[in-house]
Amino acid sequence: MQCVIVDDRPWSTQYAIVSRPHPMQVGVTLESLGAIIAYAEDDAIVIKGTSEVFEELRARGFACVEIERFEIPFDPATSRLPSVMSARTRSIIDSLISLVSDTLVRNSIQSMQNFGTRYWNNVNRDSVSRWVRAQYLAAGITDVRLDSFQYSGTCQANVVATLPGMINPSRELIVGGGHHDSYSSNVFQAPGADDNASGATAAIEMARVITALNYQPVHTLRFIGFAAEEAGLRGSASYAQRARQAQRDIRAMLNYDMIGYRNQSQPDRDVYVVWYTGAKALSSVHALAATAYTPVTPVLTTSYRSGSDSYSFWQQGYKAVFLIERDFNPYYHTPNDLLQYIDIPYCTQIVRAGLATLITLDQLPPPVAGYRLRDRGNGSALFATWDSVPVLDFAAYKIYVGRSPGVYDTSFIQTARSRLVTGLTEGVHYVVDVSVVDVAGGEGFITELHAVPRSIPLPPTGLVAESLAHAVRLRWRQNNEMDLLGYNVYRSVTPSPLGPYILLTTTPTRDTTWVDSVSGTFAYCTTALDSSGNPSAPSDTVLGSAITSVVGNLLTSPFAFALYQNYPNPF
């Protein structure tokens, strides 16, 4: 993976992601507002600054989201679209979307606009949350809760309406009706019809239709209106972080933010479908649903990724998709963000597309979990394993094998949770995909992993050296070969990475750590060894220094000597 150093003095101040400036901000530079640009690309900019700088950016109309200091989980598996949707699912969708009402969508947006402002720090914020809760209760959902959290000395409340799943209630689908707060250059006049009464209304209308037809969901459905989005996604960040801490099984998060404005001088009905890394298939499902059930034209994009509540869920490792109008509203964050500029039929069609996507996801068999693809180690086979899936109408697993994503040479149908794929060519890149098929023939998302069969182990990766008192501790990542015997560890005779090296392990170690009791600085590398005695090439080389001297009560040893540029410059 290629990497770019964003900052060689990390966390000397806070970071934020600023979405690409809208044309209305032409002439206003980030630097002029006090921001320091650390990294920039087409659709996002990473800046350093203070909370005051971030607030000023938001006041100028930029989408500015602070970067929280935590790890984002990475899943090496990707997903592909299923090939079959049952006729029953299509019939359910047709019945539901026919009930989506232009009139009720209009009335809901008007009612939210009537608050005058829904600014997160305004005294009426509790009234706004209670109004949203009342709409879900009126729609027939009995479990509607105010999910409170603290921000900047205020109590904020997300609104969470829940329909429990009838078959698999522990797995959740979330409709983030976007946020119910609003913002304007005049915070006391922030009607927010498009941003984001339109998205909040989308979730309310989906919930109303589902309960009106007494649809019994397979999975638990949650419809959420988030608070304090305009303060930097505060409501969704609080909710998603707590969901991850509780290890909740959120299958997908569908987000709607600014879905009502359309340039009336143009004939198109385009809508942006914003996709996130690891969730391209989810976005493709939404795009296909929009095409199949509505006249709107979906356009897949990576723009605006960090600018709405779906970003908070993606940060926590959940799959998410975000819909936003393609013709950006010229009244964004102004007192003129009013219902009169909303294209209600266009907005309603996006609601129908979202509802079709939600039901499609609810009816699909779930993807396999715990999928692993390992090299058998003989140069001609790969071994795939996965966990059992709780599907009441389970029929089989389908395994695909090919040399490029979505292009398969062969496939298998079986009920066992593993497959030894044989007859492969050594050194060739393969994709091995697995999906679940139900008794009606419906197929779930296809989970995809990549591997290359080899007869010689790969070099160990991720080797790092840690300094201990009179010792060096080495750590590296576990190899994936099934016939792995262990690892050998080598140390240079001198500090030079060029060697020569001596073998430290008398027998190969199965562990991925090694402590070398030594004084001084040395270079280290490791190799992997398979059960046939074949060694891998050496790993990357690292320098390790033992801590040998004492200052006060602290053992110390310099790791390097360097003269840095004075910071900031001028000092």
Side-chain angles (χ1 to χ4, degrees):
M1 299 176 65
Q2 294 183 343
C3 299
V4 175
I5 297 176
V6 172
D7 193 353
D8 60 2
R9 289 174 175 264
W11 298 105
S12 58
T13 185
Q14 288 298 113
Y15 297 92
I17 294 181
V18 179
S19 295
R20 181 175 53 197
H22 187 260
M24 66 184 294
Q25 285 98 34
V26 171
V28 179
T29 66
L30 295 174
E31 293 90 343
S32 69
L33 300 177
I36 300 171
I37 296 178
Y39 180 76
E41 58 181 30
D42 289 341
D43 53 5
I45 302 170
V46 179
I47 65 169
K48 300 174 67 174
T50 63
S51 57
E52 291 78 14
V53 169
F54 301 156
E55 281 299 317
E56 178 65 20
L57 288 170
R58 295 184 190 113
R60 297 297 187 102
F62 290 89
C64 180
V65 179
E66 292 183 46
I67 298 176
E68 302 292 341
R69 195 171 182 177
F70 55 79
E71 293 182 0
I72 297 177
F74 172 72
D75 184 356
T78 58
S79 296
R80 303 194 67 80
L81 286 174
S83 57
V84 179
M85 182 186 297
S86 68
R88 177 179 177 272
T89 298
R90 291 193 295 270
S91 175
I92 293 172
I93 292 173
D94 288 335
S95 299
L96 287 170
I97 66 174
S98 66
L99 293 184
V100 176
S101 167
D102 285 23
T103 300
L104 293 180
V105 167
R106 180 188 299 276
N107 292 345
S108 177
I109 294 175
Q110 180 68 67
S111 295
M112 296 190 76
Q113 177 180 300
N114 289 345
F115 279 98
T117 181
R118 302 187 306 280
Y119 179 55
W120 65 268
N121 202 22
N122 199 57
V123 293
N124 71 344
R125 61 182 178 273
D126 290 339
S127 299
V128 174
S129 297
R130 289 196 297 270
W131 181 90
V132 175
R133 180 175 184 268
Q135 306 316 300
Y136 284 114
L137 290 171
I141 299 182
T142 58
D143 183 359
V144 189
R145 304 180 185 183
L146 296 180
D147 172 63
S148 300
F149 64 96
Q150 296 292 317
Y151 172 64
S152 190
T154 66
C155 182
Q156 304 286 329
N158 301 322
V159 181
V160 184
T162 302
L163 284 173
M166 297 294 102
I167 297 176
N168 194 356
S170 64
R171 189 179 289 263
E172 304 175 36
L173 297 171
I174 289 180
V175 177
H179 54 97
H180 50 253
D181 65 321
S182 62
Y183 187 84
S184 168
S185 52
N186 179 350
V187 297
F188 299 107
Q189 296 179 34
D194 193 24
D195 186 19
N196 186 30
S198 63
T201 292
I204 293 169
E205 181 65 1
M206 288 185 211
R208 183 194 69 81
V209 169
I210 285 174
T211 54
L213 273 188
N214 196 30
Y215 173 75
Q216 302 298 306
V218 176
H219 309 93
T220 293
L221 308 183
R222 297 195 198 278
F223 304 87
I224 307 179
F226 294 109
E229 188 268 0
E230 299 288 6
L233 316 185
R234 297 298 175 174
S236 57
S238 170
Y239 189 91
Q241 288 175 21
R242 286 180 281 127
R244 173 54 64 195
Q245 290 167 0
Q247 298 183 331
R248 283 168 48 190
D249 187 6
I250 298 174
R251 182 178 182 182
M253 190 273 192
L254 314 181
N255 182 46
Y256 304 90
D257 194 345
M258 299 180 64
I259 57 171
Y261 178 80
R262 187 177 72 85
N263 187 341
Q264 299 298 310
S265 66
Q266 302 295 328
D268 65 80
R269 290 176 172 268
D270 296 346
V271 60
Y272 274 139
V273 180
V274 183
W275 66 274
Y276 293 85
T277 303
K280 185 73 176 287
L282 176 61
S283 302
S284 297
V285 167
H286 212 312
L288 287 174
T291 301
Y293 295 99
T294 75
V296 300
T297 302
V299 179
L300 289 169
T301 182
T302 58
S303 298
Y304 307 112
R305 273 181 168 179
S306 61
S308 192
D309 293 309
S310 44
Y311 180 72
S312 299
F313 285 80
W314 177 78
Q315 279 189 306
Q316 298 299 331
Y318 294 118
K319 298 187 186 308
V321 61
F322 164 30
L323 266 70
I324 182 173
E325 62 214 20
R326 190 178 188 187
D327 299 331
F328 198 85
N329 194 326
Y331 307 109
Y332 167 72
H333 281 187
T334 73
N336 287 321
D337 183 4
L338 299 168
L339 177 64
Q340 68 192 69
Y341 301 113
I342 298 296
D343 185 331
I344 293 297
Y346 170 76
C347 181
T348 303
Q349 294 296 354
I350 296 174
V351 176
R352 292 190 175 101
L355 183 55
T357 302
L358 178 63
I359 301 305
T360 298
L361 295 173
D362 188 49
Q363 290 293 316
L364 280 178
V368 296
Y371 180 34
R372 295 187 65 196
L373 183 62
R374 303 178 64 190
D375 181 8
R376 181 63 184 84
N378 59 6
S380 63
L382 299 172
F383 186 63
T385 61
W386 54 92
D387 298 337
S388 60
V389 181
V391 182
L392 291 182
D393 56 349
F394 169 81
Y397 299 105
K398 192 169 185 179
I399 300 94
Y400 301 88
V401 181
R403 300 193 182 190
S404 60
V407 181
Y408 306 113
D409 300 322
T410 186
S411 63
F412 310 93
I413 297 288
Q414 62 183 57
T415 57
R417 290 187 288 109
S418 65
R419 181 82 190 190
L420 181 65
V421 182
T422 59
L424 307 179
T425 302
E426 182 167 6
V428 172
H429 177 274
Y430 288 92
V431 294
V432 180
D433 300 352
V434 182
S435 65
V436 176
V437 180
D438 61 25
V439 293
E443 184 177 7
F445 278 116
I446 302 169
T447 304
E448 175 182 288
L449 283 176
H450 304 234
V452 177
R454 294 183 173 90
S455 56
I456 304 297
L458 287 173
T461 60
L463 179 64
V464 295
E466 299 173 341
S467 297
L468 304 177
H470 306 291
V472 173
R473 178 164 55 205
L474 303 171
R475 293 185 294 108
W476 59 93
R477 297 191 187 98
Q478 178 75 40
N479 271 45
N480 199 34
E481 296 88 3
M482 293 181 65
D483 63 340
L484 185 72
L485 180 64
Y487 305 92
N488 282 326
V489 181
Y490 297 85
R491 181 183 68 209
S492 63
V493 175
T494 67
S496 171
L498 299 177
Y501 286 84
I502 60 173
L503 177 65
L504 300 182
T505 45
T506 55
T507 58
T509 176
R510 295 287 296 179
D511 204 352
T512 56
T513 61
W514 181 269
V515 177
D516 184 26
S517 298
V518 69
S519 295
T521 299
F522 297 92
Y524 295 89
C525 68
T526 62
T527 61
L529 197 70
D530 66 18
S531 57
S532 300
N534 298 313
S536 72
S539 68
D540 289 340
T541 301
V542 297
L543 287 176
S545 298
I547 302 174
T548 56
S549 60
V550 178
V551 176
N553 294 322
L554 182 66
L555 286 163
T556 66
S557 180
F559 298 103
F561 295 93
L563 178 62
Y564 291 97
Q565 174 66 46
N566 50 306
Y567 179 86
N569 188 5
F571 190 74

